[in-house]
Amino acid sequence: MPATISVNSAEFPIPEDPRTTLLDFLREHVGLTGTKKGCDHGQCGACTVLVNGVRINSCLSLAAMHEGDAVTTIEGLGTSDAPSALQRAFVAHDAFQCGYCTPGQICSATALLDEIANDWPSDASGSLEDRITATDDEIRERMSGNLCRCGAYANILAAIREVAREHRT
């Protein structure tokens, strides 16, 4: 039985070339182009996906490293008919301009909400023991790996803040 990676709940064989990045695997082998290739150096966050619920820069990870892992891309978070809460909030708050970086931001924000719900502290957390809340500083710190030059930061913050209020009830 060939080694596989689960992508959005479907199984795909690991590519034969062990040098294939997870990003290239998703885009070129699986055909999911929602995950974007930005800087290709792990600095912009446009390629952010979730691996077993944890966000990673897919351009810095080899596909062969993810045998048996569950990868979730922007296509796996929602559909145009049934968008996720974050996807709806990004639209409602006009939290994108060109949209190129938006898939990575939404994947990162999805993980952010789970991190906060699980009380995982960040550098912006006031205490390592207190309950973590989705303050503006907390959201900004956790989204700092997703760079965007389009100037929509305030709207992205508003979209995440809205869903964060509903996520941890």
Side-chain angles (χ1 to χ4, degrees):
M1 177 174 220
T4 62
I5 301 174
S6 173
V7 179
N8 301 333
S9 301
E11 297 295 321
F12 296 91
I14 289 181
E16 292 182 22
D17 186 345
R19 299 170 298 171
T20 305
T21 66
L22 181 58
L23 172 61
D24 289 339
F25 171 73
L26 294 169
R27 292 182 58 83
E28 297 170 15
H29 296 252
V30 179
L32 297 173
T33 56
T35 304
K36 303 301 185 212
K37 183 178 276 194
C39 67
D40 214 19
H41 295 286
Q43 298 173 340
C44 72
C47 66
T48 302
V49 298
L50 306 175
V51 175
N52 300 328
V54 176
R55 56 184 152 169
I56 69 164
N57 292 327
S58 61
C59 71
L60 296 180
S61 188
L62 298 173
M65 298 167 57
H66 297 287
E67 178 181 350
D69 285 345
V71 177
T72 304
T73 68
I74 189 69
E75 292 93 343
L77 294 177
T79 65
S80 57
D81 293 334
S84 72
L86 273 168
Q87 289 169 323
R88 287 191 309 271
F90 267 61
V91 170
H93 290 276
D94 194 21
F96 47 86
Q97 296 292 316
C98 75
Y100 191 81
C101 62
T102 302
Q105 290 176 344
I106 291 175
C107 284
S108 190
T110 298
L112 171 160
L113 295 173
D114 289 339
E115 292 166 5
I116 290 174
N118 290 314
D119 289 323
W120 293 1
S122 75
D123 284 346
S125 302
S127 166
L128 297 178
E129 298 175 10
D130 293 340
R131 189 170 187 184
I132 308 295
T133 57
T135 64
D136 289 355
D137 286 344
E138 193 73 49
I139 294 170
R140 284 187 186 107
E141 171 61 23
R142 292 173 190 268
M143 292 297 291
S144 64
N146 292 78
L147 302 178
C148 175
R149 294 176 218 119
C150 67
Y153 295 116
N155 295 6
I156 292 169
L157 183 63
I160 296 170
R161 190 182 321 116
E162 175 187 302
V163 178
R165 280 192 297 264
E166 300 164 3
H167 190 73
R168 190 175 183 162
T169 55

